[in-house]
Amino acid sequence: MGADDPVGEEQAHLDLTYARLDRMRANTRRRLSEALRETEDNPQALSERESYERLYTDDLTKFDAAEHNLYFGRLDLDDGEIRRIGRIGILDDDAADSTLLLDWRAPLSRPFYLATPAAPESVELRRHIRTRNRMVRAINDEYLTGERATDTVTAHGDVVNESALVAALNAARTGEMTDIVETIQREQDIIIRSTHRGVTVIQGGPGTGKTAVALHRAAYLLYTHRDTLSRSGILIVGPNDDFLNYIGQVLPSLGESGVLLSTVGDLFPGVRAGAGDSRETMAVKGDPRMVDVIKRAVRGYQSLPTRPVPVTFDTYQVRITSDLVKEARAKARGSRKAHNQGQRIFLRAGLDGLAQAHARTIGASLLDGSQLLSPGDIADIRDEMAQDPDIRRELLRFWPTLTPLDVLRDLYADPAAIRRATPGWSDDDRRALHRTTAPLPEGADLSPADVPLLDEIAELIGFGTEDDEREQRAQWRRRLAEAQEALDILTGSAPQDLEDDLDPEILMAYDLIDAEQLAERQTRRRNLTTAERAVGDRQWAFGHVIVDEAQELSAMAWRMVMRRIPNRWMTIIGDTAQTGDLAGTRSWQAVLEPYVAKRWQLRELTVNYRTPAEITRYANRVLHHINPEHSPPTSLRSNGIEPYAIAAGSLSAAVAAIDPDWPGLTAIIAPDDECAAIAEALTGQHPDSVRVLTVLACKGLEFDNVVVVEPAAILRQSPRGHSDLYVALTRATQRLVVVHDEPLPEELAGMRPAGTSGV
């Protein structure tokens, strides 16, 4: 084997590599099993055991994820060195200094993505290897030096391994995003491996691989900065749940699973925003004016009595007056503490005032009119008043404990409260905030646009810290009670039939430990991953944050995201030409400079890998309308399938437009108010490979075939209708069909009707 049989040579190495992977997997499973059987009670030993459990579990996940296309590249250098590139790094157990496979993220692997004939980086041969089910299916060689050097500079830039890339792009979609680790291009690799520790904005048109680049960057950062990011974690924010499900398998396939994926609507712990808003309401809620609205709403709870409030203390009547509350309120506000934390200062100041007033009342009642109460006596009175529930209750009416949900719901439900909090607003904007529906549990009556407002309120009132401490104490009490119950079962003082539910560790150790020790052990056993801990902690500080479809974030959503990344190390992905949210952005500078000034960099992707040239011809007309100065990305490929239009006057025509013989996934993208009717018409007529989506719901997704319904209505449904139409037209990887009753927009003029040649 060798030059005469390159496939056989690579198959032999592939067999050797998989054999080593199988041994690594078996050894890791054995070590995990041994760690799980450890029963040491020493805290340090227990901590070490738990660390090993996590390590071995993560390794098994990595090995399993790397199983598919484990080995995909090879470099032959001019000094005779051979480097083989794969999803993970693998050493030869028979020769400790021999590397069977380099991790694609390792510095020595980088020439695989960057080397060109013009800059070969000592590479003579780059070999792309395609495998399936542990078998080599094909190889593709590129010579970068000498007489056989291949010219890789094409009309599309430095696109390498173009045949393998096009094959991957033409493959039918499955509903899950696949990684691009085998076909990363030069402009993408530069961004993935960027050493910039500030904000990096990846701007690129549809199909330029922005999301794939960001996910591979997350994997690269976790590989390169493992010690830091394994503790603080990476947060990826996406536009909707469909998008997160779509990208969910990419990071595990790259050997990483410890990343938190979330939408903006899920970033507030304990709230699952299930309601919807009109576009106009979303725009109002995302407006930065809402910061002042929330401040006024919270201050509205710091009220004054309209008349003195009498309370009885020690048979005397004392009065809570407006002046007394005003003085206490001034002290609390002067502390600059958050509302809930300022309550203690308010209450103490109010009790001081009441104690002083009570002392004056007692002094005035004495026959000689003398004041016999010392400062110590007054302090005692204040302390006694602090224990009186009636006095505390009456005082705290004017500075109550607040929760974010209650503040937001109270505001929305009361037109008068909205009016007080929105001086200078139009009546239309005020009506956009008003909501009369009854509150549902866990915030299900709230929309994703409400969640940043909840976060703003939480920050303003200081919600979370004290509640978290109380909850931790309550959890400890529950665990202690559970542990004692478990021990009672084993000592015969509880029903015997409960014994089956016990942890085996309890069965082995019940005669050696008491309930408190057992509770501590069980608490340690429940250690969460970084992502699991972060999802329940509103104040978690992530090490890196990636925001996809970032152009859709409102000013209020950006405030929420920025609170979670105090070090401002971020990767932001978007395309301002695709901004559909009325509260979204058309300028990265306007978004970022309030937070990082000039400390951000822009990187652009210029090649459209997704959309065939036949479709981009129409999409680029729409882009020109959005911004004539915006340069469209260059389509990598042409597939010969011309888009066509169907003139029809019924929604069912959208369903009829779908050819059951089309391969892959199909999306019907329709105006917001027509999706439900089309979905109903679709019921029972097509398999699950067909989906009906609004433009907002299809953000970031791609499909083999796309049917766009009534483009004139899509333009009309929003002031940013051209951005919506641009998004809809660029979701397809193979074919585009337009169904319309109204005349086509001028940007689609000339699209051939159905039934003409070229279908």
Side-chain angles (χ1 to χ4, degrees):
M1 293 185 295
D4 296 334
D5 184 15
V7 172
E9 179 186 11
E10 300 307 339
Q11 183 65 57
H13 191 81
L14 185 65
D15 292 342
L16 186 66
T17 305
Y18 269 115
R20 172 62 175 138
L21 178 66
D22 290 341
R23 291 194 297 273
M24 292 166 62
R25 185 185 285 115
N27 288 338
T28 302
R29 284 175 176 159
R30 175 179 54 78
R31 289 170 180 168
L32 176 60
S33 178
E34 291 172 353
L36 292 172
R37 289 197 296 269
E38 291 289 338
T39 58
E40 294 290 341
D41 287 332
N42 178 279
Q44 181 177 350
L46 286 171
S47 177
E48 291 176 355
R49 185 192 69 184
E50 289 155 6
S51 297
Y52 281 123
E53 288 178 20
R54 179 59 47 77
L55 173 65
Y56 298 146
T57 301
D58 289 347
D59 281 348
L60 286 174
T61 301
K62 178 175 66 175
F63 298 154
D64 290 342
E67 174 72 25
H68 178 62
N69 290 341
L70 171 66
Y71 167 34
F72 55 80
R74 165 175 162 165
L75 296 174
D76 288 14
L77 306 187
D78 55 16
D79 62 358
E81 180 186 357
I82 295 177
R83 301 176 188 170
R84 289 179 165 91
I85 317 298
R87 294 178 177 277
I88 61 174
I90 297 180
L91 296 175
D92 189 345
D93 51 357
D94 294 328
D97 60 344
S98 176
T99 301
L100 293 175
L101 207 58
L102 281 170
D103 192 298
W104 67 273
R105 297 166 288 188
L108 291 176
S109 299
R110 198 172 191 193
F112 184 76
Y113 302 107
L114 296 185
T116 66
E121 301 194 26
S122 302
V123 177
E124 290 187 346
L125 169 70
R126 172 170 48 215
R127 174 170 290 172
H128 300 269
I129 302 155
R130 298 178 63 186
T131 67
R132 185 178 180 185
N133 297 330
R134 299 194 173 194
M135 296 293 294
V136 175
R137 300 297 182 181
I139 62 172
N140 183 0
D141 287 346
E142 296 176 82
Y143 291 92
L144 305 185
T145 60
E147 296 180 356
R148 293 189 292 176
T150 306
D151 184 6
T152 61
V153 180
T154 69
H156 311 110
D158 292 342
V159 175
V160 300
N161 192 26
E162 187 165 340
S163 61
L165 178 59
V166 171
L169 296 173
N170 284 332
R173 269 51 194 166
T174 64
E176 291 184 349
M177 187 178 185
T178 56
D179 63 69
I180 60 168
V181 64
E182 301 169 55
T183 56
I184 292 171
Q185 301 301 308
R186 183 183 183 88
E187 68 172 4
Q188 298 171 328
D189 188 81
I190 290 172
I191 297 171
I192 289 169
R193 299 176 194 260
S194 170
T195 59
H196 183 62
R197 289 299 292 260
V199 176
T200 297
V201 177
I202 305 175
Q203 165 81 29
T208 53
K210 301 183 297 296
T211 298
V213 168
L215 294 173
H216 287 68
R217 177 159 172 74
Y220 172 77
L221 292 176
L222 284 166
Y223 175 86
T224 308
H225 304 279
R226 178 78 59 188
D227 290 346
T228 300
L229 294 179
S230 63
R231 294 191 300 270
S232 57
I234 291 181
L235 168 67
I236 297 179
V237 179
N240 51 58
D241 288 337
D242 285 343
F243 175 83
L244 296 183
N245 292 334
Y246 173 61
I247 69 171
Q249 292 305 309
V250 172
L251 283 166
S253 74
L254 298 173
E256 300 295 346
S257 56
V259 175
L260 176 62
L261 278 65
S262 178
T263 65
V264 166
D266 292 334
L267 272 181
F268 194 94
V271 170
R272 181 71 172 171
D277 282 325
S278 69
R279 294 186 180 222
E280 292 73 21
T281 296
M282 289 167 59
V284 171
K285 292 177 178 180
D287 195 299
R289 293 180 299 169
M290 288 301 300
V291 174
D292 290 331
V293 171
I294 287 169
K295 287 179 179 177
R296 295 187 191 103
V298 170
R299 284 214 161 194
Y301 291 93
Q302 301 166 2
S303 58
L304 299 174
T306 56
R307 61 177 60 87
V309 178
V311 290
T312 300
F313 176 73
D314 195 22
T315 72
Y316 289 87
Q317 188 178 84
V318 293
R319 298 191 306 168
I320 301 173
T321 66
S322 179
D323 287 342
L324 183 146
V325 174
K326 186 182 296 184
E327 183 176 350
R329 186 176 69 175
K331 290 182 178 179
R333 287 178 174 176
S335 71
R336 297 188 177 275
K337 290 183 178 293
H339 174 91
N340 286 354
Q341 279 69 57
Q343 186 188 74
R344 294 179 180 177
I345 298 171
F346 171 84
L347 184 60
R348 183 178 180 86
L351 292 169
D352 280 340
L354 283 178
Q356 294 284 355
H358 183 58
R360 289 192 295 272
T361 300
I362 294 175
S365 69
L366 297 176
L367 293 177
D368 60 1
S370 61
Q371 172 58 275
L372 300 179
L373 298 181
S374 67
D377 295 328
I378 296 174
D380 290 340
I381 293 173
R382 183 196 63 220
D383 292 343
E384 289 183 33
M385 286 182 168
Q387 302 303 315
D388 189 309
D390 293 334
I391 293 177
R392 289 175 62 90
R393 182 183 65 252
E394 293 300 329
L395 273 174
L396 292 180
R397 284 171 49 196
F398 307 105
W399 195 292
T401 300
L402 301 179
T403 69
L405 272 173
D406 288 342
V407 171
L408 199 60
R409 284 168 169 166
D410 288 350
L411 175 67
Y412 287 166
D414 187 353
I418 293 174
R419 189 166 53 253
R420 289 192 298 270
T422 56
W425 280 39
S426 70
D427 288 340
D428 285 342
D429 284 352
R430 286 170 175 157
R431 278 192 291 270
L433 292 182
H434 182 51
R435 175 182 289 152
T436 58
T437 56
L440 300 173
E442 297 184 355
D445 59 325
L446 301 180
S447 72
D450 291 321
V451 174
L453 305 185
L454 283 180
D455 201 64
E456 193 75 28
I457 296 169
E459 195 73 12
L460 189 60
I461 68 177
F463 177 78
T465 303
E466 292 181 348
D467 292 338
D468 288 345
E469 292 173 355
R470 284 196 293 268
E471 177 60 22
Q472 288 172 8
R473 290 194 294 270
Q475 287 181 0
W476 171 248
R477 287 193 294 269
R478 287 195 296 270
R479 289 185 184 129
L480 192 60
E482 291 169 359
Q484 186 59 61
E485 180 182 8
L487 294 176
D488 288 345
I489 291 172
L490 293 169
T491 57
S493 55
Q496 184 65 34
D497 58 0
L498 294 178
E499 186 171 327
D500 293 340
D501 296 329
L502 292 182
D503 189 304
E505 182 173 300
I506 298 175
L507 292 170
M508 290 186 290
Y510 76 93
D511 58 338
L512 302 176
I513 59 178
D514 59 21
E516 186 167 352
Q517 290 171 314
L518 180 56
E520 288 178 350
R521 174 179 291 188
Q522 294 304 98
T523 300
R524 286 192 294 267
R525 282 173 59 85
R526 296 173 188 175
N527 280 347
L528 303 176
T529 66
T530 298
E532 288 168 339
R533 285 183 285 124
V535 75
D537 186 350
R538 191 188 69 82
Q539 296 178 312
W540 188 271
F542 289 92
H544 191 83
V545 168
I546 294 173
V547 185
D548 207 342
E549 298 294 334
Q551 75 276 354
E552 301 300 322
L553 266 64
S554 68
M556 297 306 295
W558 278 114
R559 289 173 66 88
M560 181 182 193
V561 169
M562 289 298 182
R563 291 189 188 105
R564 284 148 178 80
I565 185 69
N567 69 5
R568 300 294 191 259
W569 189 18
M570 306 177 71
T571 302
I572 293 171
I573 308 103
D575 178 15
T576 52
Q578 298 184 59
T579 304
D581 194 315
L582 300 182
T585 184
R586 289 287 175 88
S587 166
W588 299 121
Q589 179 179 347
V591 165
L592 294 173
E593 290 200 352
Y595 299 101
V596 297
K598 304 290 185 181
R599 299 184 303 277
W600 62 283
Q601 64 174 4
L602 178 67
R603 295 288 182 265
E604 294 194 65
L605 296 172
T606 59
V607 178
N608 184 339
Y609 302 97
R610 174 201 300 150
T611 317
E614 290 81 359
I615 296 175
T616 57
R617 183 168 66 251
Y618 296 99
N620 289 346
R621 295 178 188 174
V622 180
L623 176 62
H624 183 77
H625 184 281
I626 296 169
N627 184 351
E629 298 181 358
H630 199 121
S631 298
T634 303
S635 288
L636 177 70
R637 63 198 173 97
S638 173
N639 67 356
I641 304 176
E642 286 289 338
Y644 61 89
I646 298 175
S650 66
L651 294 175
S652 60
V655 179
I658 300 171
D659 187 332
D661 293 328
W662 285 348
L665 296 179
T666 298
I668 299 176
I669 302 176
D672 296 351
D673 58 359
E674 295 186 9
C675 280
I678 293 175
E680 184 176 354
L682 182 69
T683 303
Q685 297 194 35
H686 286 279
D688 294 339
S689 60
V690 180
R691 298 174 61 189
V692 181
L693 300 169
T694 65
V695 174
L696 294 179
C698 75
K699 290 275 184 178
L701 305 179
E702 64 180 17
F703 304 88
D704 299 277
N705 320 289
V706 169
V707 178
V708 175
V709 178
E710 205 61 84
I714 291 176
L715 289 178
R716 196 169 51 244
Q717 72 183 5
S718 167
R720 291 184 171 174
H722 277 85
S723 293
D724 286 348
L725 182 58
Y726 184 54
V727 170
L729 294 175
T730 54
R731 299 305 96 194
T733 66
Q734 298 298 335
R735 58 177 50 76
L736 171 69
V737 178
V738 173
V739 176
H740 65 103
D741 180 28
E742 302 179 42
L744 288 174
E746 61 179 341
E747 291 84 4
L748 302 184
M751 183 174 289
R752 64 185 179 81
T756 59
S757 61
V759 175

